[in-house]
Amino acid sequence: MQIPDEMLKRAEYISSLIKRSDEVLIVTHIDADGITSGSIARITLDRLGIENEVVFVKQLSDSEIEKIADENKFTWFTDLGSGQINSIIDKKIDFVITDHHLPVMDNKRQLNPHSFGFDGSYELSGATTTYILSRYLGNRLFAMNVDLIPLSIVGAVGDLQDSREGRLLGLNRIVIDEGIKRKVLAVHKDLRFFGKQTRPVVKMLEYTFDPYLPGISGNEAGAINFLDSLGIEVSEWKKWIDLSEEERKRAVNEIVKLCISAGIPFKSIKRIVGETYILSHEEEGTELRDAMEFSTLLNATARYGYEDVGLKVCLGDRDGAFKRARTLLQNHRRNLSEGIRLVDEIGIVELENIQYFDAKDMILDTIVGIVAGMCFSKANLNKPIIALARNDEGIKVSARATQRLVDRGVNLAKAIKLVSEKIGGKGGGHSIAAGALIPESEVDRFLKELDRVIGQQLARA
Ligand code: C5P
Ligand code: C5P
Ligand code: C5P
Ligand code: ZN
């Protein structure tokens, strides 16, 4: 595979616009892919001697776009912008975009995999798109910025782009291959659970919900029994990376057997083992060594309003900011397991074509989508799952589908955008994961209408 010439030409044009500016405002998204995208942009501009500043937004709403327009600066949108390019142009912002969300139109100032025949939900992320531009902006002195590849892979993994087949696909592979060649990245075949580097094995198993391991997920005693039965010593400090190769093999075999007997679809079982992306220059046993855990660490900062902490870690702080991020990670993990417990309690309501839960103000709107995705393993796999949460501006909607549903015709970004706009809200995202902000009074209509539209998508395919 190769990056298409048209795309490289586009990158060349966009980099010429950036090089011409003497000050750049970087606007990015508050998740792992957004933080890594913003850091890549920032480091790239620093190296060019271009003054810059990174600001984070939860959503690129009209009011945010107005605020940005008021700054009157050349603006580089990373990991967002493609869904709002009309408003950006309307507000006369001097801009460029490196994004992977479904674009509302093509534009010379926008680098987006969708414009070149690639699916931005898994073939290139915000950070890997931004890296492609960064490479163009690089020079020999900084080895064409290839040292930023690991950060970009953290972004792609943070958006779960490897979850489709257990490895990154599409244009992401070009970035990986270069990373391996330049020895900044290593790829291993291993279990794809969160926490291999940092959680005690018991906790790693207990906190795994994708797939849902019967008797083990969310069940500490079950996880201990499972390891005991394999003759693997359970201790408070022993992590997955501390087990012998033989022990790891034994555990993987048993996990696979357990999943088969639980009737988990073969496709999901296949994804249990896959590629793990190792950041060769980071210390072993830390969250930063493994792209999956690095991305979780970043989510744990930005989704709680501490994006500056995540940004500092990406920019190289291994001291104060890193320690703070680790504390935030503990908190994030607690919130995710409490979120899952809450959904168990309130239950998931099934409509004809969708299922939903209403977390009210009991789950933070910025993590309710993560919880929805994690709940999938115990919900109906044949219907998209919709999560509702309250925030200051209205009702935050997070929607997640499975790959199988997408293959059968579901496109959450299109459905959510259509339905939310019809009832005075706003939304977008990807075919497999999307979100919206809607007025509180319209929730029932929204669900009913969404149920209908998803039904149509399934019927049409
Ligand atoms: O805003 P952004 O593009 O970063 O978010 C992408 C979202 O899609 C993430 O929440 C990610 O976890 C979700 N996703 C998913 N399943 C996939 C791919 C992405 O839930 N297979
Ligand atoms: O919002 P999105 O769907 O991208 O969420 C992906 C995130 O889910 C990961 O970065 C991580 O924070 C979290 N996660 C986790 N443990 C799991 C599954 C997901 O911490 N077992
Ligand atoms: O917030 P959540 O993780 O559910 O977001 C899923 C996807 O939907 C992300 O790609 C996000 O950028 C997108 N989204 C959006 N508009 C919103 C909320 C989320 O485009 N109002
Ligand atoms: Zn993204």
Side-chain angles (χ1 to χ4, degrees):
M1 185 165 321
Q2 261 187 329
I3 301 178
D5 280 345
E6 285 303 305
M7 190 167 175
L8 291 177
K9 252 188 245 155
R10 179 72 56 87
E12 167 111 58
Y13 173 67
I14 296 174
S15 46
S16 74
L17 295 178
I18 291 176
K19 278 186 185 153
R20 243 178 22 208
S21 344
D22 42 33
E23 197 184 354
V24 176
L25 178 67
I26 302 163
V27 177
T28 195
H29 196 204
I30 56 147
D31 67 2
D33 195 30
I35 303 180
T36 48
S37 300
S39 331
I40 291 169
R42 159 138 217 181
I43 297 170
T44 303
L45 294 174
D46 282 348
R47 288 175 178 177
L48 289 168
I50 298 175
E51 207 178 301
N52 65 87
E53 182 196 348
V54 183
V55 301
F56 289 88
V57 298
K58 224 190 220 185
Q59 277 143 27
L60 202 51
S61 59
D62 283 343
S63 65
E64 290 290 353
I65 294 174
E66 247 158 63
K67 267 194 257 165
I68 294 161
D70 287 344
E71 295 267 329
N72 211 3
K73 282 184 190 148
F74 181 87
T75 306
W76 180 355
F77 293 94
T78 65
D79 192 35
L80 41 69
S82 290
Q84 299 80 13
I85 189 166
N86 288 327
S87 313
I88 294 172
I89 293 170
D90 275 355
K91 292 282 172 320
K92 307 211 162 29
I93 297 173
D94 193 7
F95 75 98
V96 295
I97 296 174
T98 49
D99 188 14
H100 67 129
H101 290 90
L102 199 64
V104 288
M105 63 172 186
D106 194 24
N107 184 285
K108 270 166 53 184
R109 289 170 171 245
Q110 164 180 271
L111 193 67
N112 186 312
H114 288 282
S115 312
F116 306 95
F118 294 92
D119 186 335
S121 68
Y122 69 97
E123 296 188 294
L124 207 62
S125 79
T128 42
T129 307
T130 304
Y131 166 71
I132 286 177
L133 189 68
S134 167
R135 197 181 188 292
Y136 243 93
L137 285 162
N139 57 37
R140 293 248 163 89
L141 184 59
F142 293 106
M144 313 314 284
N145 294 334
V146 291
D147 59 325
L148 303 180
I149 288 176
L151 274 182
S152 77
I153 297 303
V154 170
V157 168
D159 266 7
L160 306 188
Q161 297 210 328
D162 59 334
S163 74
R164 182 183 266 243
E165 288 188 11
R167 59 188 209 117
L168 289 170
L169 301 169
L171 295 178
N172 284 320
R173 293 231 67 89
I174 296 176
V175 180
I176 292 172
D177 289 345
E178 182 161 37
I180 297 172
K181 206 166 94 196
R182 301 301 195 101
K183 297 195 165 53
V184 291
L185 192 74
V187 181
H188 296 169
K189 208 167 158 214
D190 202 346
L191 196 67
R192 289 184 56 260
F193 291 176
F194 283 91
K196 292 195 296 287
Q197 298 274 341
T198 52
R199 285 181 194 167
V201 186
V202 171
K203 291 286 154 197
M204 179 191 82
L205 293 173
E206 181 190 342
Y207 290 148
T208 291
F209 294 93
D210 178 24
Y212 189 81
L213 308 171
I216 295 179
S217 299
N219 182 344
E220 187 184 27
I224 292 175
N225 280 340
F226 174 75
L227 292 169
D228 259 345
S229 74
L230 294 178
I232 295 174
E233 183 207 350
V234 181
S235 81
E236 240 179 81
W237 54 266
K238 227 183 199 182
K239 297 175 281 190
W240 181 255
I241 52 167
D242 300 321
L243 300 186
S244 71
E245 202 172 322
E246 203 276 319
E247 285 175 318
R248 278 187 284 190
K249 269 203 187 124
R250 217 182 317 149
V252 169
N253 278 338
E254 283 309 310
I255 290 167
V256 168
K257 272 193 212 157
L258 189 77
C259 292
I260 293 174
S261 58
I264 292 170
F266 179 65
K267 248 186 155 172
S268 316
I269 299 177
K270 239 179 84 184
R271 289 185 286 124
I272 291 177
V273 175
E275 288 187 349
T276 306
Y277 304 100
I278 300 294
L279 281 70
S280 314
H281 298 319
E282 301 292 347
E283 197 183 321
E284 195 164 349
T286 67
E287 289 81 0
L288 310 178
R289 179 82 172 174
D290 178 322
M292 208 162 165
E293 293 194 47
F294 197 150
S295 75
T296 309
L297 185 81
L298 294 180
N299 275 326
T301 65
R303 300 206 181 221
Y304 298 87
Y306 298 102
E307 48 275 317
D308 52 319
V309 176
L311 182 69
K312 279 188 188 143
V313 173
C314 289
L315 297 177
D317 185 324
R318 296 292 174 266
D319 200 32
F322 182 41
K323 280 191 197 127
R324 178 90 181 94
R326 280 183 143 166
T327 312
L328 289 166
L329 181 60
Q330 304 292 337
N331 170 60
H332 182 47
R333 289 204 169 122
R334 208 168 33 239
N335 285 333
L336 291 181
S337 15
E338 276 170 18
I340 287 164
R341 208 167 308 137
L342 180 86
V343 178
D344 270 343
E345 241 173 72
I346 59 177
I348 298 174
V349 182
E350 286 201 33
L351 302 182
E352 200 169 328
N353 304 298
I354 59 174
Q355 52 191 333
Y356 74 92
F357 65 85
D358 184 357
K360 305 225 159 67
D361 56 2
M362 294 176 290
I363 301 179
L364 216 60
D365 66 319
T366 48
I367 64 160
V368 77
I370 301 183
V371 174
M374 289 170 84
C375 282
F376 236 125
S377 21
K378 35 185 171 171
N380 186 340
L381 282 168
N382 293 313
K383 295 176 184 177
I385 185 163
I386 316 297
L388 306 171
R390 215 143 260 121
N391 74 15
D392 312 336
E393 296 164 87
I395 301 296
K396 161 74 194 300
V397 178
S398 275
R400 297 290 187 272
T402 60
Q403 191 49 51
R404 191 156 164 271
L405 281 165
V406 172
D407 294 342
R408 285 173 51 201
V410 169
N411 186 323
L412 290 177
K414 284 189 182 157
I416 291 265
K417 186 171 169 13
L418 183 82
V419 177
S420 58
E421 281 172 7
K422 213 180 228 177
I423 55 140
K426 234 180 172 140
H430 308 284
S431 51
I432 199 161
L437 188 68
I438 60 170
E440 184 155 8
S441 56
E442 300 297 320
V443 169
D444 290 340
R445 237 176 98 209
F446 174 83
L447 289 169
K448 215 169 137 202
E449 189 58 15
L450 187 64
D451 192 34
R452 193 182 65 79
V453 172
I454 297 290
Q456 265 180 353
Q457 288 184 344
L458 285 165
R460 217 176 291 138

